[in-house]
Amino acid sequence: MASRLQQIEGHESVLLRVTHSNLKSFSADVRFPLQMSVESVKDKLWRKCGTSVNSMSLELYDDTNTKVAALTDNSRSLGFYSPLQGYRLHVIDLDPSSVTSGGWLEDTSLVEKYTISEEEYRKRDGTFRKFKEKVLSQNPSAVENKLSINYMEDLCSNIKVGDRCEVDPGAKRGVVKYVGQAESIAPGFWVGIQYDEPLGKHNGIVKRVRYFECPPLHGAMVRPDKVKVGDYPERDPFEEDEI
């Protein structure tokens, strides 16, 4: 125990792997200040996984997957429970009606989708199909002006999987998870991003093709001209409130 306390005292923050009881595919490395209260830890995790602070229970596991502690006292600091680098912080959602329950955040087949018959779609004005037909009728050669399979390949030369990045518009931050072609989307080169916050559109699967793995609503596929790589650390939402 003494060596553990010494290691904690030597660090101002700790990087923990976060998992969730309802979101089986959710897993994220999150850095926490050791002086942060358990209640503030829960608030930070609420922003990432959707479980409310009042419905959240936390358990700490070591690198052998042995339970170390239950973080039951919201007023205690995280450091009180002696977390070390690489430990796992498990979120348990106690609310049966929680937004994370039922699996619909991970299994889109459970979500009711809007459908329209082919006949009804043909009757509608202002659809993409009507626009495309109008363009082709006015300029038949437009169908031949397709993007090259190497479109924007040159912009990917300095982008590597694992790079920290910032994506425009919005200066959204995350990590590069994929670089290459994505035929299911469009010709040319694409960059797969796992955002630090749930600002994406998917979990790495686009049109039934998995390009990378990430938590739900953290994934995005963008063109390389929208990506800047470099020293873009994860933003701490609590820093924005400081004066």
Side-chain angles (χ1 to χ4, degrees):
M1 176 63 71
S3 62
R4 175 181 295 178
L5 290 174
Q6 290 172 358
Q7 185 167 354
I8 291 174
E9 290 172 357
H11 293 274
E12 295 182 354
S13 63
V14 64
L15 187 66
L16 302 178
R17 169 69 65 174
V18 178
T19 56
H20 195 283
S21 61
N22 290 344
L23 304 175
K24 304 307 178 184
S25 65
F26 178 84
S27 179
D29 291 325
V30 183
R31 185 169 295 278
F32 299 94
L34 289 174
Q35 69 273 19
M36 178 180 282
S37 69
V38 171
E39 185 173 18
S40 295
V41 169
K42 290 181 177 180
D43 187 68
K44 184 170 184 174
L45 292 174
W46 161 70
R47 300 166 188 265
K48 290 183 175 293
C49 65
T51 298
S52 68
V53 173
N54 293 333
S55 301
M56 187 185 301
S57 176
L58 296 177
E59 294 179 345
L60 184 66
Y61 291 80
D62 65 17
D63 51 8
T64 65
N65 208 32
T66 300
K67 183 177 176 180
V68 175
L71 282 61
T72 56
D73 190 341
N74 285 343
S75 64
R76 292 282 190 181
S77 68
L78 177 62
F80 173 80
Y81 295 96
S82 305
L84 299 181
Q85 294 286 117
Y87 274 23
R88 179 168 66 92
L89 190 60
H90 186 58
V91 177
I92 300 175
D93 195 324
L94 304 176
D95 182 3
S97 60
S98 169
V99 67
T100 69
S101 65
W104 66 272
L105 282 179
E106 296 178 294
D107 187 355
T108 57
S109 66
L110 300 176
V111 181
E112 184 178 355
K113 299 174 178 62
Y114 173 76
T115 59
I116 184 173
S117 68
E118 178 67 20
E119 181 180 0
E120 289 298 319
Y121 186 75
R122 282 199 303 266
K123 294 178 180 178
R124 288 195 170 189
D125 294 323
T127 63
F128 176 75
R129 181 185 296 177
K130 292 287 181 65
F131 169 76
K132 183 178 179 180
E133 291 172 351
K134 180 179 179 180
V135 170
L136 292 179
S137 66
Q138 296 174 347
N139 183 16
S141 63
V143 71
E144 300 176 0
N145 297 330
K146 295 182 179 179
L147 295 175
S148 164
I149 60 173
N150 297 322
Y151 179 61
M152 291 198 178
E153 179 181 12
D154 57 321
L155 299 181
C156 294
S157 59
N158 295 322
I159 302 176
K160 303 184 299 297
V161 172
D163 284 345
R164 290 290 305 176
C165 65
E166 189 171 82
V167 180
D168 291 324
K172 300 181 289 289
R173 292 189 179 182
V175 60
V176 176
K177 302 286 284 188
Y178 175 85
V179 181
Q181 296 175 327
E183 295 181 358
S184 69
I185 306 175
F189 277 69
W190 295 82
V191 179
I193 306 295
Q194 176 180 322
Y195 290 130
D196 296 330
E197 305 291 338
L199 303 173
K201 297 182 178 180
H202 50 72
N203 63 349
I205 298 177
V206 183
K207 296 183 179 179
R208 300 184 180 179
V209 178
R210 176 170 289 283
Y211 292 97
F212 57 93
E213 294 187 3
C214 73
L217 301 179
H218 282 66
M221 293 289 282
V222 299
R223 289 295 191 183
D225 62 336
K226 306 298 183 185
V227 181
K228 296 180 291 185
V229 297
D231 184 16
Y232 295 105
E234 180 178 354
R235 291 189 177 95
D236 189 336
F238 295 97
E239 293 180 356
E240 299 175 359
D241 298 331
E242 296 180 358
I243 299 178

